[in-house]
Amino acid sequence: MEASGIYDHLKSDLFRFARSIARHEQEVQDLVQDALIKSLSEETLVYLPDYKQRAWFYRVMKNRLIDDRRKERRLVTWDHELEFPAQDLVGSEVEMVELLSHLSADLSDIVFKRYWIGLSSQEIGEQLQLPASTVRYKLHLAVKKLRKMLRED
């Protein structure tokens, strides 16, 4: 039996398990899809008994979920590190606009969207067609430059 045959045989059990550990349907789909993709490269899987194949899929999905949760935790921590009380540090909006004019257009745009509009890095990334991690990196650079400029004044 090939990996696709194993998948067809275990499909209902895999989705039931994924629904029991995931938060929403999209995450369920991702977990099952990831397990299926990994099963295609696992040559010894076809020779295992049925219960071990099922356990293999469950373990792969559980590990993927744990990895995703750890990744989310790191990303949330990163976002909190970027808190920049710009409106407290600068007296007026005119001063802030002047300060932002010293940044490049893309960095200024990201800072504006994050701190004035209140968009998350994910939302900004979707607008600018950038990964959220790139938005956070650019935001980090912008905040660093702004802090340096404020210290010099």
Side-chain angles (χ1 to χ4, degrees):
M1 187 182 311
E2 293 181 10
S4 62
I6 295 170
Y7 171 74
D8 289 337
H9 177 66
L10 300 173
K11 185 177 179 179
S12 63
D13 291 339
L14 298 179
F15 275 97
R16 187 174 341 109
F17 178 76
R19 284 189 180 99
S20 72
I21 61 173
R23 291 181 186 157
H24 47 79
E25 188 62 27
Q26 184 60 46
E27 199 170 48
V28 169
Q29 300 289 332
D30 290 345
L31 290 174
V32 173
Q33 180 181 357
D34 186 57
L36 179 61
I37 290 170
K38 285 187 178 181
S39 73
L40 296 174
S41 62
E42 189 66 35
E43 296 173 4
T44 59
L45 187 63
V46 295
Y47 303 113
L48 296 175
D50 189 41
Y51 71 96
K52 284 192 175 184
Q53 291 172 346
R54 184 176 290 113
W56 184 90
F57 275 100
Y58 290 174
R59 188 178 63 245
V60 167
M61 289 190 288
K62 187 184 85 180
N63 289 344
R64 162 76 194 276
L65 188 68
I66 290 169
D67 288 346
D68 288 348
R69 297 287 191 270
R70 286 180 181 155
K71 192 175 180 181
E72 285 175 12
R73 198 173 334 140
R74 279 195 310 260
L75 295 178
V76 169
T77 303
W78 178 263
D79 267 348
H80 290 299
E81 289 175 2
L82 294 175
E83 290 302 319
F84 181 68
Q87 292 173 332
D88 295 341
L89 297 173
V90 179
S92 69
E93 291 181 11
V94 174
E95 288 175 316
M96 182 50 73
V97 170
E98 164 112 12
L99 195 59
L100 289 178
S101 69
H102 294 289
L103 295 175
S104 65
D106 63 327
L107 292 181
S108 176
D109 186 40
I110 290 172
V111 169
F112 178 78
K113 288 177 178 175
R114 175 69 174 104
Y115 295 111
W116 267 262
I117 299 176
L119 298 177
S120 68
S121 55
Q122 182 72 35
E123 293 167 329
I124 296 169
E126 289 170 4
Q127 286 182 0
L128 301 177
Q129 304 295 320
L130 295 172
S133 58
T134 302
V135 171
R136 287 189 295 276
Y137 175 71
K138 288 185 173 195
L139 190 59
H140 173 75
L141 289 178
V143 168
K144 190 174 176 180
K145 285 181 181 179
L146 289 173
R147 283 186 175 142
K148 185 177 178 183
M149 283 189 273
L150 288 171
R151 272 190 235 125
E152 290 174 355
D153 287 341

